[in-house]
Amino acid sequence: MTAARRIVDADGLEALTMRRLADALKLQLPAIYRVFTNKQTLLDELAEAILAEALPDGRGDHWTAEVALLAGQLRTALLAQRDGARIVGGSYAAKRNTLTYADRFVGIMRQAGLDGTAALWATSTVFCYVLGEALEQQGQSADALDRLDRNAARETYPQLFATPVEEIVNFDERFEFGLGLILDGLRQRLHSAGPAEPGAGRARPAPAPPRPGHRPS
Amino acid sequence: MTAARRIVDADGLEALTMRRLADALKLQLPAIYRVFTNKQTLLDELAEAILAEALPDGRGDHWTAEVALLAGQLRTALLAQRDGARIVGGSYAAKRNTLTYADRFVGIMRQAGLDGTAALWATSTVFCYVLGEALEQQGQSADALDRLDRNAARETYPQLFATPVEEIVNFDERFEFGLGLILDGLRQRLHSAGPAEPGAGRARPAPAPPRPGHRPS
DNA sequence: ACCTGAACACCGTTCAAGT
DNA sequence: ACCTGAACACCGTTCAAGT
């Protein structure tokens, strides 16, 4: 597994072939299939290994801090591995670590006061957003911004070039901004009863009754 | 191009090979390279073709309606093509249609009252979120939910199974929920001066001065 | 100028044959 | 029971040779 990650880190996901992995492990090619039955299961386990780093050790004192921590740690885990977002996004297995991550996230949102369905959807919203951001960041080639003809583009895309376009590539602040939007949206749903009281905190405990029509099988 | 899309729709992105495309076009294999210099340029043009459908014809009367329209149309375009999210997410070219989309989005956000950088980041937030959701939706195999052992999972992931988990797969409402969170966050930033007045609308026009330190070259 | 046959250097995967 | 050599059926890409 570490050998596989090293290959991807060095030469990208395309370079990860069963043959190169066998070479790195000083095995003959068919011996790999005794460890991984498939290339897909290899990729699935790679996704698992990446997501193992997505769970923060500590805990935030407030649900907003906890969500920021979980989202940030997931992002860090994806970015720590070259092509990490593509690996995780391309693995469609019910990954154990994804479920652990989701379980913790859902727990925080329910404790904050969201009902079950909203807690579930909030989890998927943050997960999808973080994945999308990491995918874009890792896909951006270094010279992508410089490659387009600024003078021509300035006339074709006037609105876009009325902004400081270099800020697209300010990934850290860009991520904080987007996450902040989602957090604000969540805050608003938790305070929906009374008028918005910015930074007041202290959410009601969740009743969160599971739906009556929930089939157990 | 339509031949390529037909192959992907029929048998998935993996089935799109230069050989099969040549067959479908009743050409010999090397003749394809007279049209597309690369397989990557073929994929880039595929991404372009998908994104061409992402721009809505009409316009919303309010900025919230316009954002919902743009996000929804992008999602529809991605979902309309099998593996559409993977194709668009895997293409790192400065796509013309992406820029057109971004230009319109940025324009709306600036008109709503956001400054240039915020308008840029808001665009990328929505784009990344929509892409992430579509990626997850298209990656979900039909039986993914049924495959995991519910009884064992109920004990390992208690928070998760305290919710109606089938709702993860309710993609349309899940998307509306997540987009709603982002929209609420944007609304809040536009009303940051006074106290929140839900649904009041009427944002201040944007001054949006381009940064002084902006290098033209 | 355009198209083609044939090949190159790779893939993932399998399997009979060895030890 | 484990490992290996060799092959199978594919890939993307190239190029000398034809018309």
Side-chain angles (χ1 to χ4, degrees):
Chain A
M1 191 54 41
T2 57
R5 293 187 72 161
R6 212 162 17 224
I7 292 173
V8 177
D9 272 329
D11 300 315
L13 185 53
E14 285 72 23
L16 180 64
T17 70
M18 300 303 249
R19 278 174 170 83
R20 287 210 213 190
L21 187 60
D23 279 1
L25 262 43
K26 299 192 180 256
L27 285 170
Q28 294 306 110
L29 175 57
I32 293 286
Y33 287 86
R34 205 154 297 274
V35 188
F36 306 106
T37 54
N38 249 342
K39 185 171 187 189
Q40 189 54 54
T41 71
L42 163 63
L43 291 172
D44 288 347
E45 293 199 29
L46 253 179
E48 268 290 274
I50 293 168
L51 287 171
E53 244 70 60
L55 278 160
D57 302 318
R59 290 188 178 264
D61 47 351
H62 190 49
W63 70 264
T64 51
E66 185 84 10
V67 167
L69 207 64
L70 275 163
Q73 191 77 20
L74 173 60
R75 176 167 180 262
T76 304
L78 292 175
L79 295 180
Q81 167 70 59
R82 165 122 84 129
D83 289 328
R86 258 204 298 166
I87 293 168
V88 169
S91 170
Y92 311 136
K95 290 146 287 193
R96 196 167 39 82
N97 286 337
T98 319
L99 291 174
T100 308
Y101 187 89
D103 192 62
R104 179 154 162 195
F105 207 117
V106 163
I108 286 149
M109 292 322 298
R110 287 184 70 231
Q111 201 186 327
L114 245 46
D115 72 88
T117 303
L120 212 57
W121 287 345
T123 303
S124 114
T125 298
V126 171
F127 191 90
C128 289
Y129 171 61
V130 174
L131 188 68
E133 281 279 355
L135 199 70
E136 287 276 303
Q137 178 170 353
Q138 290 182 325
Q140 209 89 19
S141 51
D143 59 339
L145 251 179
D146 299 327
R147 236 195 340 251
L148 87 176
D149 183 351
R150 300 250 189 181
N151 294 331
R154 204 176 293 276
E155 289 177 23
T156 321
Y157 313 108
Q159 295 293 339
L160 196 57
F161 279 85
T163 72
V165 280
E166 323 82 48
E167 289 295 322
I168 314 183
V169 123
N170 185 353
F171 294 113
D172 289 348
E173 285 193 54
R174 183 178 114 173
F175 173 72
E176 293 305 329
F177 178 86
L179 186 61
L181 293 181
I182 295 171
L183 276 170
D184 283 348
L186 288 171
R187 226 186 315 260
Q188 203 159 309
R189 259 155 195 71
L190 289 167
H191 298 169
S192 58
E197 205 176 313
R202 186 63 62 200
R204 295 153 299 155
R211 290 167 138 220
H214 173 225
R215 277 175 291 134
S217 173
Chain B
M1 190 57 38
T2 57
R5 294 188 71 161
R6 209 160 23 220
I7 292 173
V8 176
D9 272 330
D11 299 316
L13 185 54
E14 285 73 23
L16 181 63
T17 70
M18 301 303 250
R19 279 174 170 82
R20 287 210 214 188
L21 187 60
D23 279 1
L25 262 43
K26 297 189 181 255
L27 285 171
Q28 292 308 109
L29 176 55
I32 292 285
Y33 287 85
R34 205 155 295 275
V35 188
F36 307 106
T37 55
N38 249 342
K39 187 174 185 186
Q40 190 53 54
T41 69
L42 163 63
L43 291 172
D44 287 347
E45 294 200 30
L46 253 178
E48 268 289 275
I50 292 168
L51 287 171
E53 243 70 61
L55 279 160
D57 302 317
R59 291 189 177 261
D61 47 352
H62 190 49
W63 70 265
T64 53
E66 185 84 10
V67 167
L69 206 64
L70 273 163
Q73 191 77 20
L74 172 59
R75 176 168 180 262
T76 303
L78 291 175
L79 295 179
Q81 167 70 56
R82 166 121 83 133
D83 289 327
R86 259 205 295 167
I87 293 168
V88 169
S91 170
Y92 311 138
K95 290 146 287 192
R96 197 167 39 83
N97 286 337
T98 318
L99 291 174
T100 308
Y101 187 88
D103 192 63
R104 178 153 162 194
F105 207 117
V106 163
I108 287 149
M109 292 321 299
R110 287 184 70 232
Q111 201 186 328
L114 245 45
D115 72 90
T117 303
L120 212 56
W121 287 345
T123 303
S124 114
T125 298
V126 170
F127 191 90
C128 289
Y129 171 61
V130 174
L131 187 67
E133 280 280 353
L135 199 70
E136 287 276 302
Q137 178 170 353
Q138 290 182 324
Q140 209 88 20
S141 52
D143 59 341
L145 252 178
D146 300 327
R147 239 195 337 251
L148 89 176
D149 182 350
R150 298 251 190 184
N151 294 330
R154 204 174 294 275
E155 289 177 23
T156 320
Y157 313 108
Q159 294 293 339
L160 195 57
F161 279 86
T163 71
V165 280
E166 323 83 48
E167 289 294 322
I168 314 182
V169 124
N170 185 354
F171 295 112
D172 289 349
E173 285 192 53
R174 183 178 114 173
F175 173 73
E176 293 305 329
F177 178 87
L179 185 63
L181 293 181
I182 295 171
L183 276 170
D184 283 348
L186 288 171
R187 225 186 315 260
Q188 203 158 308
R189 259 155 194 70
L190 290 168
H191 299 169
S192 57
E197 205 177 311
R202 186 60 61 199
R204 296 152 298 156
R211 291 167 135 220
H214 174 225
R215 278 176 291 138
S217 174

